[in-house]
Amino acid sequence: YLDTSAWILVNSGVTFNLSGVTLDGTGRLIANAILSRGSGTISGNVIENIDYNESTDYSGAGIAIYGATVTVSNNTFSNIGREGVFTAFFSTATITGNTYTGKGGGNWLDYAFEIGRNSTATISGNTVTGNTGVATSDGSKSAGMVVATYYDVAGTTTRATITNNTITGNYDGIEVGYDGSDQSVVVAHNNDLSGNFHTGIFSTNPVVDATDNWWGSASGPSNA
């Protein structure tokens, strides 16, 4: 979480807009390609090969949003160490129209978007596939996206509205919660959640409003 973890650091109070750029971390150890504590729009970029020891530290984020208000739109993410977008510390994120391609099976993790630490996110129109890695260190499993309150402090509960996304070919499509006391608030509508290996949506505790999604069958999801 330190500023020194950033390849590009956006300080508090700064508006930073980035478009039409390729951020390629090949040959480098990068914990956070962009770490924003400010505001702005990151749109139409290619963000790839962002990794910080993916099979030991399980780390590397394309965009980390810390106490910031940021729009992330129409970017392409591939070969990312852990998260395409990670939100924390009471951030507000709009995440729309992005494509995230995971690394497939292996000793690593992939989450296109991880929402936590009292943040709020609107996630729509994204395509997320290939997040199937499993960490051998503790058995943690990848997911298309994850929302959790495990690290929340007193204040606003972590929330996500997830609509009109294609989330297929992952271990879990959407993972909600970290443990049995999680209080995440998640609404998920009009998503394609078919073809995920474990579940379309997996929750450790919160009740998720998940009506009007496609689960791969007209009968709905195939498990409880």
Side-chain angles (χ1 to χ4, degrees):
Y1 301 108
L2 299 176
D3 288 353
T4 52
S5 71
W7 192 10
I8 297 172
L9 174 64
V10 183
N11 287 311
S12 178
V14 173
T15 299
F16 174 76
N17 301 315
L18 184 72
S19 63
V21 172
T22 295
L23 296 178
D24 184 348
T26 299
R28 299 175 171 86
L29 285 174
I30 300 174
N32 296 297
I34 300 171
L35 192 164
S36 179
R37 300 185 184 275
S39 62
T41 298
I42 300 170
S43 179
N45 304 286
V46 175
I47 302 173
E48 59 189 5
N49 305 313
I50 305 302
D51 170 44
Y52 194 95
N53 299 326
E54 63 188 18
S55 297
T56 52
D57 292 313
Y58 305 101
S59 186
I63 302 168
I65 303 171
Y66 293 168
T69 300
V70 177
T71 296
V72 179
S73 64
N74 302 311
N75 302 284
T76 299
F77 298 88
S78 63
N79 197 29
I80 304 297
R82 187 182 180 100
E83 304 109 339
V85 180
F86 176 54
T87 71
F89 310 122
F90 297 90
S91 292
T92 300
T94 301
I95 304 170
T96 181
N98 303 282
T99 299
Y100 184 99
T101 303
K103 301 182 294 295
N107 175 28
W108 47 63
L109 295 169
D110 272 296
Y111 308 106
F113 317 123
E114 182 172 350
I115 313 303
R117 293 180 182 257
N118 305 90
S119 294
T120 299
T122 301
I123 302 170
S124 64
N126 303 281
T127 299
V128 179
T129 61
N131 295 1
T132 59
V134 177
T136 59
S137 61
D138 62 2
S140 294
K141 298 173 179 63
S142 298
M145 54 191 74
V146 59
V147 183
T149 62
Y150 185 75
Y151 292 104
D152 279 19
V153 298
T156 306
T157 298
T158 295
R159 298 173 179 267
T161 301
I162 303 169
T163 58
N164 298 299
N165 301 279
T166 299
I167 308 167
T168 61
N170 307 290
Y171 183 80
D172 287 306
I174 302 170
E175 182 179 320
V176 182
Y178 182 82
D179 58 19
S181 63
D182 200 280
Q183 298 297 315
S184 300
V185 177
V186 175
V187 174
H189 300 313
N190 301 316
N191 302 287
D192 182 351
L193 297 169
S194 64
N196 295 295
F197 302 140
H198 183 222
T199 60
I201 297 178
F202 177 78
S203 176
T204 63
N205 179 58
V207 175
V208 178
D209 180 355
T211 57
D212 299 321
N213 295 291
W214 174 245
W215 308 89
S217 169
S219 63
S222 59
N223 53 51

